[in-house]
Amino acid sequence: MEGYRSNGLIHISQLSNRRVEEAEEVVQVGEEVFVKVVKVQEEGGRVKIGLSLKDVSQDNGRDLNPSNQPSRGNVANPDAYPTLYTVHQGNVVSIRDFGVFVKLNGYHAQGLVHISQMAKWKVDNPTDIVDVGARVWVKVVGVTADPKRDDGRKKLALSMKLVSQDDGEDLDASNIEAEALTHRARQTPQDSKRIELGAILNVTCTKCGGHGHLATQCFTGKKYDLLEEEDAKVTGVEESRPPVVEAGDATKKKKKKKKKKEKKEKKDKKKKKKKLKKKKHKKKKGSSSDSDSDSEEGNDGKTASIEKARAILAQLK
């Protein structure tokens, strides 16, 4: 280190956030790097210095772990559980469809990062974000008793999206989002009673003490009673009620009435036309018969005048 006579050791676990098998995978002999002093220990008159490469940005030397969260088993009681709303670094130990399990550095316990808490955007597959063995920053958002166990073990709920994965900065310093997640984590299956078919009919409202409705549907101060399921009463109610006509049915009925009216009007017009035709035909017949009778009368008169003339001629002779 420049300005110091002492040398320090970078443990292989402090070389990178990923798993390193050989130190040459990360650095080479003679290469200049930024380091952070994470341990100073006197032993046998000598001073041992522990350094970290992964806690410092190799671009500009910026401290990526300003809160100095332990990266190894430096916790006094590894069997204890981390404090709520604290930020920790850990390793992904297993991946499931619903999220990833992370083992926190310095603790024996593992916590679940639900898939909804892995990133600010929607994650379809956890493997799109991390792989097994990846080092991640997480924030503890829930520490609850495990109802499936009797040994006092607890469940840890963690969040990755509330912590910067670059330097471990808490992105929710006021714990507003974390508190909302804690409230959800504390809810047990007993808190939300299962509603089965027909349960609403027999339920008692916790607000007003009435029957037949849930507390969420209750108007405070009003009570409700179930209707008696007797055929006589039901039929009586149905008969007293006016028939319900929907808007669609009313329009259909109006259209039908219009069509009927139009049909009637057409029929009436046709009938009137037929009557007029009949009247005209009768008139024509009457005029033709009159003319025929007149002509017959004229012919009779002519024959009579001819016979008179013949009689007068016969007398003169």
Side-chain angles (χ1 to χ4, degrees):
M1 294 184 291
E2 290 183 5
Y4 295 91
R5 292 181 183 178
S6 304
N7 293 328
L9 172 67
I10 303 174
H11 191 272
I12 195 167
S13 63
Q14 295 294 322
L15 286 170
S16 175
N17 285 323
R18 60 182 175 82
R19 185 179 177 83
V20 179
E21 299 290 343
E22 300 277 340
E24 288 79 7
E25 295 175 12
V26 181
V27 292
Q28 302 297 324
V29 176
E31 185 179 347
E32 289 190 359
V33 292
F34 287 103
V35 292
K36 180 178 179 177
V37 179
V38 293
K39 187 178 180 182
V40 179
Q41 184 179 356
E42 288 189 15
E43 195 175 290
R46 295 179 60 186
V47 178
K48 289 185 176 182
I49 300 173
L51 306 174
S52 175
L53 186 73
K54 68 181 183 181
D55 284 350
V56 186
S57 171
Q58 298 304 307
D59 296 327
N60 53 21
R62 183 165 62 92
D63 188 355
L64 300 179
N65 186 14
S67 58
N68 297 320
Q69 292 293 331
S71 57
R72 286 181 62 82
N74 299 328
V75 181
N77 183 12
D79 291 325
Y81 291 92
T83 310
L84 200 61
Y85 308 139
T86 53
V87 176
H88 300 267
Q89 200 173 30
N91 295 82
V92 177
V93 291
S94 64
I95 298 176
R96 299 287 185 270
D97 293 336
F98 51 84
V100 297
F101 286 94
V102 176
K103 184 184 180 301
L104 303 181
N105 292 336
Y107 294 92
H108 292 158
Q110 298 179 10
L112 171 66
V113 181
H114 192 266
I115 193 169
S116 63
Q117 293 300 312
M118 294 187 72
K120 294 283 185 184
W121 60 90
K122 185 182 178 182
V123 179
D124 294 321
N125 193 341
T127 54
D128 296 338
I129 307 296
V130 294
D131 294 317
V132 174
R135 282 185 176 271
V136 293
W137 289 99
V138 293
K139 184 172 183 175
V140 181
V141 295
V143 183
T144 56
D146 191 345
K148 295 180 181 178
R149 304 181 72 105
D150 299 328
D151 53 5
R153 292 210 178 177
K154 297 180 179 180
K155 294 168 71 175
L156 293 180
L158 309 174
S159 175
M160 282 173 58
K161 72 178 183 181
L162 298 181
V163 187
S164 171
Q165 296 304 309
D166 296 328
D167 55 10
E169 181 188 354
D170 191 350
L171 302 178
D172 182 36
S174 59
N175 297 326
I176 294 172
E177 289 186 54
E179 284 176 0
L181 293 169
T182 304
H183 178 68
R184 276 189 229 163
R186 281 176 180 165
Q187 284 184 334
T188 60
Q190 288 80 9
D191 294 336
S192 54
K193 292 181 180 178
R194 196 173 172 186
I195 298 175
E196 298 177 356
L197 187 64
I200 294 176
L201 296 174
N202 304 318
V203 77
T204 302
C205 177
T206 54
K207 281 188 179 179
C208 66
H211 299 283
H213 66 279
L214 298 171
T216 53
Q217 301 168 340
C218 178
F219 293 98
T220 308
K222 292 186 178 180
K223 294 188 176 182
Y224 300 86
D225 293 323
L226 283 172
L227 292 172
E228 295 180 9
E229 296 181 357
E230 292 182 9
D231 295 336
K233 287 187 177 181
V234 172
T235 51
V237 171
E238 286 178 356
E239 287 173 3
S240 62
R241 286 179 184 171
V244 179
V245 180
E246 294 181 1
D249 295 338
T251 51
K252 285 179 181 177
K253 284 183 178 180
K254 283 182 181 179
K255 285 181 181 179
K256 283 182 180 179
K257 283 182 180 180
K258 262 193 175 182
K259 285 181 180 179
K260 283 182 179 180
K261 277 187 180 180
E262 287 174 359
K263 283 182 180 179
K264 275 188 177 182
E265 286 175 359
K266 285 180 181 179
K267 283 182 179 179
D268 292 340
K269 283 181 181 179
K270 284 181 180 179
K271 284 180 180 178
K272 284 180 181 179
K273 283 182 181 179
K274 283 182 179 179
K275 283 180 180 179
L276 288 171
K277 281 182 180 179
K278 283 180 180 180
K279 282 182 181 179
K280 285 180 181 179
H281 189 63
K282 282 180 180 179
K283 281 181 181 179
K284 282 182 181 179
K285 277 188 176 181
S287 60
S288 61
S289 60
D290 291 342
S291 59
D292 291 340
S293 60
D294 291 339
S295 60
E296 284 176 0
E297 285 177 359
N299 291 330
D300 293 337
K302 283 180 182 179
T303 50
S305 58
I306 290 165
E307 285 177 358
K308 280 181 183 181
R310 281 179 183 172
I312 292 166
L313 285 172
Q315 286 177 1
L316 291 173
K317 286 178 179 180

